[in-house]
Amino acid sequence: MIEDRERKTGKELLMILIKTAIYLTLLYFYINKPHFYVEYPRIDQIARGLMVFLGPSLVISILRLVVIYWYIRKHRFKNNIKDNFILGINRIVSILNAVLFMIALIIFSGQDPREFITSISIVAAAIALTFKDYVTNMINGLIIMFSDRLSLGDHIKIGELEGKILDITLINMILQNEDSDMVIIPNSLVFSSVIVNQSKQNTKKLSVEFEMSLDNGYTPEYLEKYLDKNISGFTENIVAGGLTVKTISINKDVAVFKAMVLLKHYDKFREREIRRTINTALIRLSATLKKEEGPQAEKEAAREDPKLI
């Protein structure tokens, strides 16, 4: 959840009052038709179109405020909180208003909406087939918005992409990665991909993969001890004993390792510093090693701690 500073309840109430005043005025003229309605049928037609749009739109706006108010009070959120559920309600309201506006335009043009929809049914089917990917993205986007698995502000990982959810639209999801770049992912890809939501966990994992020559003879235990010394200055951010090194694969010349660090909480800047410290330590270790020095260093480390053998 993140704060939505653009949403002002006062402005929304003012818009509802303005819509109500306009609609009641049009309704009065519709019941008591003035003389200029008879002289200028076009004005009467435009007024009916506005009534068709404003009436249902007014009801939708009131229902939206009631539902959002109930949801915020139920979960005891702040009034300016922007949540998935609220975002989904806003998107649905936008779609309904767009449909009502299209119907109003049809009435403005002097046609019967039912006859117009019937006449273009074949064209509408062709349009739906043409834009089926967009329709799929919209449906997937609404499902994601009303799901409790992903929330605005969550730090997630989708394949090789990782970042914080900034926004979910009807077409795509917007992430902010570690480099503060905006990453736009189609909702269909999000819906069909395996997602790791690190914000739903009690701790966040930081992982770094690296390779070591087999000639060096370093074991995961020794690398853990070496890296643990280098990140000892981040005890406030790292869970005690939260550093582990495991072997991913062993090839002909190199072994692939993964160092995993459990963080107490998500902090983008601290995470970047810890990752940089680990990478720097590994680079220095690789740069100072020689083929004959690896086993010797391992033996010296074993003398200090026999458990490493």
Side-chain angles (χ1 to χ4, degrees), residues 92-104:
I92 291 177
V93 169
S94 299
I95 294 174
L96 293 177
N97 282 330
V99 173
L100 292 173
F101 183 73
M102 293 298 297
I103 295 175

Side-chain angles (χ1 to χ4, degrees), residues 217-249:
Y218 282 96
T219 62
E221 290 81 5
Y222 178 76
L223 293 171
E224 280 183 12
K225 183 177 179 181
Y226 171 75
L227 293 177
D228 192 54
K229 290 181 179 179
N230 283 271
I231 62 173
S232 58
F234 299 96
T235 53
E236 295 182 358
N237 303 90
I238 299 176
V239 176
L243 171 66
T244 57
V245 177
K246 64 179 181 179
T247 306
I248 302 298
S249 63

Side-chain angles (χ1 to χ4, degrees), residues 164-287:
K164 182 177 71 173
I165 301 177
L166 291 184
D167 195 10
I168 304 173
T169 68
L170 292 174
I171 304 299
N172 47 55
M173 177 183 291
I174 303 176
L175 300 183
Q176 183 181 35
N177 63 14
E178 296 179 357
D179 299 324
S180 297
D181 295 328
M182 307 293 288
V183 182
I184 301 176
I185 308 174
N187 286 331
S188 57
L189 178 61
V190 175
F191 193 76
S192 60
S193 299
V194 177
I195 302 175
V196 179
N197 192 338
Q198 297 173 337
S199 296
K200 300 299 183 182
Q201 304 172 359
N202 293 329
T203 57
K204 184 185 184 306
K205 297 178 182 178
L206 183 154
S207 60
V208 177
E209 289 192 15
F210 59 96
E211 296 179 352
M212 280 289 176
S213 173
L214 293 177
D215 294 332
N216 296 329
Y218 282 96
T219 62
E221 290 81 5
Y222 178 76
L223 293 171
E224 280 183 12
K225 183 177 179 181
Y226 171 75
L227 293 177
D228 192 54
K229 290 181 179 179
N230 283 271
I231 62 173
S232 58
F234 299 96
T235 53
E236 295 182 358
N237 303 90
I238 299 176
V239 176
L243 171 66
T244 57
V245 177
K246 64 179 181 179
T247 306
I248 302 298
S249 63
I250 301 176
N251 302 322
K252 180 180 178 181
D253 300 319
V254 298
V256 181
F257 298 98
K258 176 184 282 188
M260 299 184 64
V261 182
L262 295 180
L263 305 178
K264 294 180 180 179
H265 52 81
Y266 175 71
D267 188 330
K268 180 174 63 175
F269 301 103
R270 280 295 184 183
E271 180 181 344
R272 186 178 301 173
E273 290 179 2
I274 296 172
R275 186 184 298 274
R276 182 179 298 171
T277 300
I278 293 175
N279 289 333
T280 302
L282 293 171
I283 292 172
R284 288 177 177 174
L285 181 64
S286 300

Side-chain angles (χ1 to χ4, degrees), residues 48-67:
R48 285 190 292 110
L50 285 175
M51 287 183 62
V52 170
F53 173 74
L54 288 177
S57 178
L58 184 60
V59 174
I60 292 171
S61 297
I62 295 174
L63 288 176
R64 170 184 168 276
L65 276 184
V66 171
V67 171

Side-chain angles (χ1 to χ4, degrees), residues 10-27:
K11 292 183 178 180
E12 294 175 353
L13 291 174
L14 179 60
M15 288 301 299
I16 289 177
L17 291 176
I18 293 174
K19 286 182 180 180
T20 303
I22 296 175
Y23 179 75
L24 292 178
T25 302
L26 293 174
L27 182 61

Side-chain angles (χ1 to χ4, degrees), residues 29 32-41 43-44:
F29 285 150
N32 305 286
K33 291 187 180 294
H35 182 68
F36 62 85
Y37 267 29
V38 180
E39 294 182 357
Y40 304 99
I43 297 178
D44 183 22

